[in-house]
Amino acid sequence: MIKCQPDCGESAISYLALVVLIGAITASLAGSGVATELATGIDTALCRLTSGEGCGGRTSQQALDSAVPKAAPASRPRTLVTRPAQPLSPDAQWPPVERALNETPLGRQTLAWARENAVQIFFDELRGSFYDDNSNTITLEYSGLPSHEIAGTVVHEVQHARNRHAPDWRTMGRDEFVSASIEEEATAYAIAAKANRQLQSVRPPKTVPDKMYQRLFESTYEHAVERENKAREKMGRPPVTPLERYLIGTAAGIRRIKKAIMTGEAVDGLKKGASKIYAKNYSHDWEHEREIARLPLN
């Protein structure tokens, strides 16, 4: 595998943004012949981009919106090590969370994908929220968090589930694995920002606060589009199209979040250096799994 450079993954991110946008358009055409014809190609593109295998039989609605999820501020990097947790309590914690997810298109798509792919969800009051690749489970920190906050975490962690066993510690060096893992994390945060914006649009004003990195993503998105339009104006070209706006803004936002995570910027209440725990944890995961598999650590 080619060693990842600072902008590694940009083409994949742009392609994902393109497919998601086309998916949204297709969803708006639900019931038409056009939507049906586009469904298979879009689904396969999403599947191959996010997993690379077992692609080809999902319905359009399941895959179109499956590329968009987010976590609560306390969420920590996913782990490759299985840890036990308390089973989900369907009579207490879950119903309010499920109702919050069902309020938005992205939330409903997250629930459908998790059920279809047998992702189990557990609650734990102390250990934070994370996805476990080995057991295909999500552990959610409860501890009195509001339902909309937990719903956002579900969306974020399901995004990790979509990329189960990727990046691959078996084929990647430590630095490459850490960089790719943080890029996946940044993508999940960016997509989650969009999901949270949907919830904010249907709830009363100021009842749903911004999620981690949401303001950073949205401001970077707008600035990137503005810069592109100014450059085009100087060249006598027309402004960006809605599709170009989405691609340019999303790619810029993801790169900006990745940079913030890797450099430990003080963002959205995080202390300076706090987000560097991601790199530390992913480095540990890489080393731990390769030691178990008796693979070299150099």
Side-chain angles (χ1 to χ4, degrees):
M1 186 172 290
I2 299 174
K3 183 175 177 61
C4 191
Q5 299 301 318
D7 288 330
C8 176
E10 180 178 350
S11 60
I13 290 171
S14 297
Y15 182 52
L16 176 59
L18 170 62
V19 174
V20 172
L21 180 63
I22 294 175
I25 295 171
T26 304
S28 70
L29 298 173
S32 71
V34 175
T36 301
E37 292 179 17
L38 287 175
T40 301
I42 294 171
D43 295 350
T44 302
L46 274 172
C47 179
R48 287 176 179 169
L49 182 61
T50 56
S51 66
E53 56 185 35
C55 305
R58 297 190 293 165
T59 65
S60 140
Q61 196 58 39
Q62 291 163 342
L64 292 181
D65 306 291
S66 68
V68 277
K70 159 107 201 171
S75 180
R76 66 191 184 194
R78 66 176 180 170
T79 177
L80 299 176
V81 182
T82 303
R83 295 185 175 93
Q86 295 300 314
L88 186 70
S89 175
D91 60 341
Q93 296 100 320
W94 182 244
V97 175
E98 186 173 27
R99 286 194 294 271
L101 287 166
N102 275 316
E103 289 184 53
T104 66
L106 297 181
R108 291 190 292 272
Q109 293 147 12
T110 295
L111 286 172
W113 192 93
R115 287 164 179 157
E116 179 187 344
N117 291 275
V119 179
Q120 293 183 305
I121 299 176
F122 299 84
F123 275 108
D124 189 286
E125 294 188 349
L126 301 174
R127 295 184 296 117
S129 301
F130 56 90
Y131 171 68
D132 178 10
D133 293 65
N134 293 331
S135 61
N136 196 30
T137 60
I138 292 173
T139 297
L140 299 172
E141 180 181 19
Y142 183 59
S143 62
L145 290 172
S147 59
H148 62 75
E149 188 76 16
I150 302 174
T153 303
V154 173
V155 177
H156 182 101
E157 300 304 338
V158 168
Q159 177 68 9
H160 287 312
R162 291 188 183 97
N163 293 286
R164 189 180 185 187
H165 301 311
D168 190 353
W169 51 267
R170 298 172 185 84
T171 61
M172 304 173 95
R174 186 195 300 268
D175 291 345
E176 183 184 13
F177 176 80
V178 171
S179 178
S181 296
I182 293 177
E183 183 166 318
E184 181 193 330
E185 196 73 44
T187 302
Y189 274 121
I191 292 173
K194 295 178 180 291
N196 197 58
R197 180 58 64 190
Q198 284 188 353
L199 187 60
Q200 290 171 328
S201 71
V202 298
R203 290 278 184 95
K206 299 182 179 181
T207 59
V208 178
D210 289 343
K211 296 295 186 182
M212 184 68 69
Y213 296 115
Q214 181 175 341
R215 283 173 289 179
L216 180 65
F217 172 77
E218 291 177 344
S219 62
T220 302
Y221 183 113
E222 295 300 329
H223 289 157
V225 173
E226 182 181 0
R227 285 195 303 271
E228 178 65 19
N229 276 331
K230 287 181 177 179
R232 292 187 179 204
E233 185 178 7
K234 288 182 179 180
M235 294 184 289
R237 296 175 56 194
V240 298
T241 64
L243 174 58
E244 291 170 332
R245 174 185 175 84
Y246 187 95
L247 293 175
I248 293 168
T250 299
I254 291 172
R255 288 196 302 269
R256 184 66 183 86
I257 294 174
K258 181 180 180 181
K259 178 182 178 182
I261 293 174
M262 296 189 75
T263 59
E265 289 183 40
V267 177
D268 294 339
L270 279 178
K271 293 182 178 180
K272 186 175 181 180
S275 64
K276 288 186 176 181
I277 189 66
Y278 281 99
K280 180 179 179 180
N281 283 3
Y282 285 132
S283 178
H284 173 269
D285 287 340
W286 180 89
E287 184 172 319
H288 175 80
E289 294 294 337
R290 289 180 69 91
E291 283 181 341
I292 292 176
R294 297 187 178 181
L295 293 174
L297 301 180
N298 50 29

